[in-house]
Amino acid sequence: MRQDGRLSNGLRDIKITRNFLKTAEGSALIEMGRTKVICSASIEDKVPQFLKDMEKGWVTAEYSMLPRSTPTRIIRESTSGKIGGRTHEIQRLIGRTMRSVMDLDAIGKRTIWLDCDVIQADGGTRAASITGAFVALTDAVKFAMGNRMIEKNPIKDYVAAVSVGIVNGEPVLDLTYPEDSTAEVDMNIVMTGSGKFIEIQGTAETMPFDKDRLRRLLELAEEGIREIITIQKSVLEG
Amino acid sequence: MRQDGRLSNGLRDIKITRNFLKTAEGSALIEMGRTKVICSASIEDKVPQFLKDMEKGWVTAEYSMLPRSTPTRIIRESTSGKIGGRTHEIQRLIGRTMRSVMDLDAIGKRTIWLDCDVIQADGGTRAASITGAFVALTDAVKFAMGNRMIEKNPIKDYVAAVSVGIVNGEPVLDLTYPEDSTAEVDMNIVMTGSGKFIEIQGTAETMPFDKDRLRRLLELAEEGIREIITIQKSVLEG
Amino acid sequence: MRQDGRLSNGLRDIKITRNFLKTAEGSALIEMGRTKVICSASIEDKVPQFLKDMEKGWVTAEYSMLPRSTPTRIIRESTSGKIGGRTHEIQRLIGRTMRSVMDLDAIGKRTIWLDCDVIQADGGTRAASITGAFVALTDAVKFAMGNRMIEKNPIKDYVAAVSVGIVNGEPVLDLTYPEDSTAEVDMNIVMTGSGKFIEIQGTAETMPFDKDRLRRLLELAEEGIREIITIQKSVLEG
Amino acid sequence: MRQDGRLSNGLRDIKITRNFLKTAEGSALIEMGRTKVICSASIEDKVPQFLKDMEKGWVTAEYSMLPRSTPTRIIRESTSGKIGGRTHEIQRLIGRTMRSVMDLDAIGKRTIWLDCDVIQADGGTRAASITGAFVALTDAVKFAMGNRMIEKNPIKDYVAAVSVGIVNGEPVLDLTYPEDSTAEVDMNIVMTGSGKFIEIQGTAETMPFDKDRLRRLLELAEEGIREIITIQKSVLEG
Amino acid sequence: MRQDGRLSNGLRDIKITRNFLKTAEGSALIEMGRTKVICSASIEDKVPQFLKDMEKGWVTAEYSMLPRSTPTRIIRESTSGKIGGRTHEIQRLIGRTMRSVMDLDAIGKRTIWLDCDVIQADGGTRAASITGAFVALTDAVKFAMGNRMIEKNPIKDYVAAVSVGIVNGEPVLDLTYPEDSTAEVDMNIVMTGSGKFIEIQGTAETMPFDKDRLRRLLELAEEGIREIITIQKSVLEG
Amino acid sequence: MRQDGRLSNGLRDIKITRNFLKTAEGSALIEMGRTKVICSASIEDKVPQFLKDMEKGWVTAEYSMLPRSTPTRIIRESTSGKIGGRTHEIQRLIGRTMRSVMDLDAIGKRTIWLDCDVIQADGGTRAASITGAFVALTDAVKFAMGNRMIEKNPIKDYVAAVSVGIVNGEPVLDLTYPEDSTAEVDMNIVMTGSGKFIEIQGTAETMPFDKDRLRRLLELAEEGIREIITIQKSVLEG
């Protein structure tokens, strides 16, 4: 059993608060255990330079952590003057994920910005950001359809993410920060509502892993994501 | 009467949630109407270069707005790569204010960082940041005294801030964003629990003002701050 | 009596040299005691992005100190790669002040840049910058009217600034650097020729202050600014 | 059959030139078809700040593309002033990979820098960088052991990487740039000489993929990496 | 005699490989002894802002050194975030040189970028860059004429460069890095095929020099450049 | 005859005001015709990193132009966030020049900073900066010797600079900005009091030049510098 009493295939408590910000087209506060992320979706009436001659839109993401989201204060990237590699990796992942379930032709010459700001971090912030950003995105799309900015629903499927890993030799689901920082293998999986993979990012932190371990980690992730998407559905459709 | 029904000397509803973050030595969520700011206080065991040969500490602040704290998304300062003038002004004000009620000798060779992150903005974010930061600071000091890092309470007085201004020719207290953006005069006042001034920052946005108007604005601010400090006290001592 | 023999309400010697630079539309060298600032005004035929759809102009300012304007060399902001908070504060103040006495509709789609470069610093550089920038601005406007770029005089009133403060318990006018660095309260006041306030920025550096002290500081500033504007007038109209 | 005549499980021609640079402790030019990368390994007698109190070393990597390594010139990151997200991702991957086969205690308080500079790019630059960097690293370690800087061989296993993907519905090995830019799924795999996974990074660019497809891609990668490691061995041991 | 056996007026072995990169309109690898530079020429269909209203083109250059082109690793300018003074000086020199032998009207509204990337450095990298860049430029121009982008050959003359200097009191041609770092005088000369000067940049590193010494250095350079241009011709016309 | 009536070998009026700044160890205002530069010398009690283990000092320079030193306002390098190539070139030249006439061992572990700030520019700012910086440097050295910081005079010779060029086919001395901007050849020469060369930087802007022209330009420069050094002497020794 794990330090917080969960079984190896147990998720932490998940709570998603829709429309957390009154100022945005779509927004959500997602809480996975002690991990808390504010996700917002903003619609902008222009597209990046590389799409300027095409009749389609774009979806992109930015990710940041409050300086005191962690037990030790971290320096703001605005202060240090550069965006770190980890931040870049995560925001590219969030953007790519959202685009993979969107019909970009259907949103016209617009950009949807997804901002994921971690208020409190206890592991799994990138997975929580993806899961929460999908809710904010869905609400922004509803807003745009309600305002007749968009005619056809561009969202093709649900999408959510979860972390899995090998901790003390045991494959486990949804790692807390203490688990993550001692994990031998650390993996983030993004899957659709129809059970297909969008992203697999697995890293052997201290110990290379074989195919059996990989298979078990993918099973745990699949189960976990199915459960998370059920929660998304109840929040969005309930 | 004002758009939201308040009298000219009326404050918006204020709610302060202590220890909002589990990760910080001190923290608070302050809500003034729709304006919401997360304030945290972090204790670091070193001092800036210019104090390195002295037996005293430092208190400094950083301020930021989430990109979607406003009705139109603002570009992150980490993305633009530079911290704007307004941000600089506000974080210098917060730091100066906190230092003015602290005995810096009493905290030893330590820096206390105050982070004020605006989640939702509807006017008065700098005043709310000061009021909330004081609560976070107080809790961090309590934490440090509890851990015997600090022996003597370095906090000499309460401190809070409020905005006042002239809107449609009328002096009013605690401006919302729509009021602020049409104000003829805009002023931020910081005062102590003993009713003395720490900062006065007044600007004639569209119309120079005379001494009578100034006197009335100071009265409104004084009343407002007295009320806010009462709330701080009930939260911290209640 | 003060270290340099002045009474508490005494200004230092002020000298303003009009058209100090042959290269600019308007310029002035202002000397207040040992503080010396070169101010220039430049007219550019475009406006910032946020005004692009409006039929009006803009006035903005930049402020800088030569590295050896001070007894200890300061690092250039071009070398450090970032503009400090103090610089931002001052240049925003100068810009705001000049705009407050201008009819921006009357200058057309143009930007007037005010550059204030401190050659030698002995306290009061922001006040001197404002007082000198107004002279440079006035000459640039005359130049533009002479060239029929502007038809109607956009300048609505005179404007000047001065510092006041409490030093050794005594309210004084126009602080030198040694006075400023030991002041308990430090205040910068900007007023118009008609005696109204444009800006009040007061800070309790070491000791909160009450309403009586505030009243006295405002009186000193008012007297001082009246005297400074008399000098501006004799320079510009003499 | 593929555009360049290869079977779906065919690698491009690989050529590794050891000690390509006379100036470095270890270096290699790796060519995979038209993709060419210069890899060098540099030993520095200090460690990053976060290791300063530990008796171990560090391995880190930097990756860059020459501006004209691609058919359209790309702007230098030194000119644009910021390192892009893709670069960050790749260099973090290279560093992590090398560390995973190293005993960092055995190199003492030293940092080994791996620089991968792409001269000509035709797909698979990150995989080629990893494969080439391992050769440069091995030679730098030999150099250090020859000079008695290091006593025990810190390299625990071989490591190499390859790209796989789904192109026109077919899983293929070692994608060229034209294949990569039209791939439905794109995956990079890093494996050790003993056949275990170090990294799996798979992305559904246009079409989510199921477990069968994933299994086939992993098989292709495994075969490919086995072949590449045979080449590394013949170069290093031959 | 010099350390590597050359006479004072001897060049190192020079080898120029045309079309070194398959990806560029023109490119060359130039080797002068152990100094190796990849030069490429790229044609872009736009011109810098300051030429936007003119019917002519531009030629510009960028120069960089691989981190391990030198015996001690140098930090990438993309990592340090700023381009050093030496880099600026060299790339301005290369650009100016190429423009001086070009008819910029004849290339239309286009920019030709010359990228010089030093792979291995042993003195004389700026001279080698100029000599190699001219070859890349010539091939890019041929490409453009072949594609009827340009009608008339814009290249007016050959151009090459060499270093000369005073080492151990003796004027010598084509300095290696060990010679350069102990030289009393260091000079770079750029000349045309018709034997005229384009640039003379001479610096007394440790000892001012008189006119006689200057005359001798210019003679050495002239001889050397004549020889280098003969090699360029055989490569380009052979 | 030239536009301002000078002969081809005529200098503009030169005026050097010693101790122009009260705040610096050494300073000078140099005026060459309409070109005006403030030069200051600052002594700092530390040396750059690369000298940290040696018993010698360093001399370095920074150069900047006020935004309105020119007929069209130029953007501050602190605002654009990067120091341009021209600035880098000039400040490296000034530093190198001053070091070439200094005995760096004699100043101990100190850095002397030379700041050259152009107030008004009409050609020849780099030459004027060198000539003026030498005066500021000399006064700073006197100050340091007077305070017994330095025992032995580290200055070995006078040094000054001048521009020469070919304008309308004619070699001329000390170019104004209008001359410089139409010059076919542009050259800056730095020479010592004993008539030897420190730097020669000549560029064919529009037309390569032969040896005869070079000889004539060097003669003009030699004459001019002799005259300038006479002025330096009368100012410093008079």
Side-chain angles (χ1 to χ4, degrees), chain F residues 104-183:
Chain F
L104 296 176
D105 293 337
I107 62 173
K109 292 183 85 70
R110 291 188 183 84
T111 297
I112 303 182
W113 291 84
L114 295 161
D115 286 290
C116 298
D117 286 89
V118 179
I119 291 181
Q120 198 169 269
D122 185 25
T125 63
R126 86 183 67 188
S129 294
I130 287 171
T131 300
F134 180 77
V135 174
L137 173 65
T138 303
D139 274 330
V141 161
K142 279 185 190 159
F143 169 88
M145 291 178 73
N147 283 277
R148 309 223 173 256
M149 293 158 71
I150 296 181
E151 287 188 29
K152 182 172 149 267
N153 188 349
I155 300 182
K156 299 181 294 186
D157 202 348
Y158 273 78
V159 72
V162 82
S163 73
V164 290
I166 300 180
V167 181
N168 296 325
E170 186 195 7
V172 294
L173 176 67
D174 187 20
L175 284 62
T176 60
Y177 179 73
E179 289 176 331
D180 184 87
S181 58
T182 59

Side-chain angles (χ1 to χ4, degrees), chain E residues 136-198:
Chain E
L137 174 65
T138 304
D139 275 330
V141 161
K142 279 184 191 160
F143 169 88
M145 292 179 73
N147 282 278
R148 307 219 172 260
M149 293 159 71
I150 296 181
E151 284 186 32
K152 184 174 147 261
N153 189 350
I155 300 182
K156 298 181 293 186
D157 201 347
Y158 273 78
V159 72
V162 82
S163 72
V164 290
I166 299 179
V167 180
N168 296 326
E170 185 195 9
V172 294
L173 175 67
D174 187 19
L175 284 63
T176 60
Y177 179 73
E179 289 176 333
D180 184 86
S181 59
T182 59
E184 291 114 53
V185 176
D186 177 24
M187 193 171 283
N188 283 281
I189 308 287
V190 184
M191 293 183 86
T192 62
S194 53
K196 294 199 171 159
F197 295 109
I198 294 289

Side-chain angles (χ1 to χ4, degrees), chain B residues 16-46:
Chain B
I16 300 175
T17 308
R18 262 170 91 182
N19 297 317
F20 181 72
L21 302 178
K22 305 305 170 226
T23 31
E25 281 85 65
S27 67
L29 171 70
I30 179 163
E31 303 172 74
M32 289 192 78
R34 290 165 70 118
T35 291
K36 299 184 187 188
V37 187
I38 299 177
C39 304
S40 69
S42 305
I43 302 174
E44 188 188 33
D45 275 336
K46 64 181 185 195

Side-chain angles (χ1 to χ4, degrees), chain B residues 25 41-60 99 102-114 137 140-141 143-152 154:
Chain B
E25 281 85 65
S42 305
I43 302 174
E44 188 188 33
D45 275 336
K46 64 181 185 195
V47 289
Q49 190 61 17
F50 63 87
L51 287 183
K52 73 173 192 305
D53 299 325
M54 299 173 75
E55 286 304 315
K56 59 189 290 194
W58 192 242
V59 177
T60 189
R99 289 192 298 274
M102 295 282 289
D103 175 0
L104 295 176
D105 294 334
I107 62 173
K109 291 184 86 68
R110 290 188 184 85
T111 297
I112 303 182
W113 291 82
L114 295 162
L137 174 64
V141 161
F143 169 89
M145 292 180 72
N147 283 277
R148 310 224 171 255
M149 293 158 70
I150 297 180
E151 285 187 31
K152 181 173 149 265

Side-chain angles (χ1 to χ4, degrees), chain F residues 13 32 43 49 58-59 66 80 84 89 101-102 106 109 115 136-137 146 169 171 190 193 198 216 227:
Chain F
D13 285 343
M32 289 192 78
I43 302 174
Q49 189 62 15
W58 191 242
V59 177
L66 289 207
S80 71
E89 256 180 53
V101 293
M102 294 283 288
K109 292 183 85 70
D115 286 290
L137 173 65
V190 184
I198 294 289
R216 178 62 188 141
E227 213 172 313

Side-chain angles (χ1 to χ4, degrees), chain A residues 93-125:
Chain A
L93 171 63
I94 302 170
R96 220 158 50 214
T97 292
M98 296 303 140
R99 289 192 298 274
S100 75
V101 292
M102 294 282 289
D103 175 0
L104 295 176
D105 293 336
I107 62 173
K109 292 183 86 69
R110 289 188 184 84
T111 297
I112 303 181
W113 291 83
L114 296 161
D115 286 289
C116 299
D117 286 88
V118 178
I119 292 182
Q120 196 168 267
D122 185 26
T125 63

